[in-house]
Amino acid sequence: MIQSPICELLGIRYPLLQGGMAHISDADLAAAVSEGGGLGIISAAAGDPVQLAQEIDAIRAKTDRPFGVNVMLRGERVQEVAQVIAEKRVPVVTTGAGNPGSFVPMWKEAGVKVIPVVASTALAKMMERAGVTAVIAEGGESGGHVGELTTMALIPQVCDAVSIPVIAAGGIADGRGMAAALMLGACGVQIGTRFLTAPECHIHPTYKEKVLKANDISTIVTGRRLGHPVRSLKTKFSREYAKLEYTTISDEDLEAFAKGSLRAAVVDGDEKHGSFLAGQISGMVTKEQPAAEIVQEICTEAEVLLKRGITWVN
Ligand code: TUI
């Protein structure tokens, strides 16, 4: 059994976190992951503090195990969302798409363990100085908002830069990826895309179908022009957006073109207007599988690989 320092730190059985996917990760998915021995994470990206409080109550009704809430720092009503997390004394908070520095003291005071997502060594070091519990270093293979570096390049550099635990994310879908991340110095992994096809993940069936049909070159990064690159599945919408970025369209019109696209994908399965966020490993997601089984399968696979080592090394 793989037991790393973050298991004890977070009170979990397996060092595997489920990504807090915007408009996707709810109490059902997060509870299933936490019950399976990982850390389930609810997304607060919808920016509705009342709904977040309900989701927190819902997961507490489903499981006694630890869970987390993810705050998308570019999202709406971030201050109120941050306050709900402190008031509800959520066990763990993860953050994405920015620097959560101003919220760290409030969360720490409330006993919330803070684990920011970083895409560079600079932010990782700043976060360590702010007193966070650990960092998630996320490579650009991931779905959604992406940084510039790959997981392969980012993880060892972040591990060298800080002394707190580093959790790897981006491009990890199975035990091979997990074992590799641990060899790079990470003490755990965060996985998003693989959970999209779990029965506890309530996205539109078209979204699931698109992930299941994806291959290695099915994703595209758009949004660089506006400073927030996002990886999604190639669709009519994402290809059109990619083209528009290189035209004289105004930033406002470009932004308006993508408004509501996450909900259009998740809720409506709308291929014309939807942004189906997914990582480069979508091609490795080939079946529907319960979330708890995913957690256990990945960790068992990694354990076997790490124990066996590489057979041609004497
Ligand atoms: O945040 C994510 N992934 C996301 S957020 C999201 S919602 C969204 N909706 C519409 C448009 C764009 C996004 C979907 N997926 N992952 C964590 C992550 N954080 N990846 C990269 C970063 C990051 C990048 C730069 C974190 C910090 C950072 O620092 C810059 C700064 O502000 O200092």
Side-chain angles (χ1 to χ4, degrees), residues 91-292:
V92 179
V93 64
T94 65
T95 63
N99 181 347
S102 61
F103 301 117
V104 174
M106 171 177 68
W107 285 332
K108 280 182 64 181
E109 226 161 87
V112 179
K113 294 186 183 86
V114 185
I115 312 186
V117 172
V118 302
S120 67
T121 56
L123 188 59
K125 284 197 262 195
M126 205 187 294
M127 291 298 98
E128 180 176 43
R129 281 197 299 273
V132 304
T133 301
V135 291
I136 299 167
E138 185 180 279
E141 298 94 321
S142 71
H145 182 70
V146 290
E148 284 297 329
L149 294 177
T150 60
T151 299
M152 184 71 118
L154 181 65
I155 304 306
Q157 295 189 73
V158 172
C159 289
D160 287 347
V162 298
S163 308
I164 51 177
V166 176
I167 295 157
I172 304 167
D174 64 12
R176 295 171 298 180
M178 182 173 190
L182 299 181
M183 296 310 289
L184 292 175
C187 63
V189 295
Q190 175 175 275
I191 290 179
T193 302
R194 172 99 187 249
F195 289 106
L196 289 174
T197 59
E200 301 91 345
C201 180
H202 307 304
I203 54 175
H204 194 278
T206 301
Y207 202 146
K208 296 195 181 218
E209 228 171 82
K210 293 185 87 62
V211 173
L212 290 169
K213 281 194 184 143
N215 66 19
D216 55 335
I217 56 165
S218 292
T219 70
I220 184 172
V221 174
T222 55
R224 285 213 161 89
R225 184 174 125 185
L226 297 180
H228 45 82
V230 167
R231 183 179 298 285
S232 64
L233 294 173
K234 287 177 185 164
T235 58
K236 193 170 175 308
F237 172 79
S238 59
R239 286 196 172 97
E240 183 91 8
Y241 188 103
K243 267 192 216 145
L244 277 175
E245 285 193 277
Y246 292 95
T247 67
T248 55
I249 186 175
S250 70
D251 286 358
E252 293 73 30
D253 287 350
L254 192 58
E255 208 149 325
F257 181 73
K259 199 168 164 50
S261 62
L262 291 192
R263 278 189 61 86
V266 173
V267 179
D268 309 324
D270 182 342
E271 302 196 50
K272 284 208 185 86
H273 308 102
S275 207
F276 295 79
L277 305 187
Q280 286 185 329
I281 52 71
S282 292
M284 292 162 71
V285 182
T286 54
K287 60 176 190 285
E288 178 177 283
Q289 192 177 20

